[in-house]
Amino acid sequence: MDTDCWRHRVDGGVCGGRLNAKKLVSLWGIPELRFIEWNEESVSIGAATTFRDLRAAARIAVEFPLLAQSAGWIGSIANQSRATLGGNLANGSPAADSSPVLLAYDAEVETISARGRRRFPYSAFHTGYKRNVLAPDELLFALHLPAALRGTSSICAKWGRGGQWLSRRSL
């Protein structure tokens, strides 16, 4: 279960202790959504790729160091083993640690549905707090980071409070 779903059920969260959906579907068992693929133009990262997968990918650390660093900020090691890049983005939290990194790397989002695929800048994905452009029949499939930014110098920092430094917002 997604950690935010759990939090909403236990703590009340924004759903008042109840999820609005009557049924939840886990995408965890779909291997076609969990990948890191390289080509000359970009790296493609499946929406079900975990933050642990990103941290373990040595080439990500070399060519996209901000992404590797932010992957280490996502909750505990246990959470990083279950939390996915796509879930972190689709959730739409302004405190998502991966969002600023994807903006900095000019990432593109790829979605799929019965109608086909579409690809667009990540900067156009979110439309407001916990809102995005996904249609009801669409699934976040992958993110693409352009090769032009591979290995560029970068720095990022996270400020927060508590043992795991929970973000209030990510910038």
Side-chain angles (χ1 to χ4, degrees), residues 2 4 27 47 84-93 96 98-99 102 122 125-126 128-134 138-140 143:
D2 180 279
D4 283 320
L27 304 177
T84 64
L85 183 59
N88 191 242
L89 301 180
N91 181 42
S93 171
S98 58
S99 294
L102 295 171
Y122 172 64
F125 183 70
H126 297 286
Y129 176 73
K130 301 257 184 195
R131 294 202 162 105
N132 59 53
V133 299
L134 288 174
E138 260 182 325
L139 182 66
L140 182 58
L143 284 109

Side-chain angles (χ1 to χ4, degrees), residues 143-164:
L143 284 109
H144 306 277
L145 283 63
L149 296 174
R150 288 180 182 168
T152 57
S153 295
S154 56
I155 188 169
C156 61
K158 179 176 177 173
W159 288 268
R161 293 182 287 164
Q164 293 182 10

Side-chain angles (χ1 to χ4, degrees), residues 8 34 59 109 141-142:
H8 294 317
R34 189 174 181 180
R59 193 166 172 187
V109 172
F141 176 71

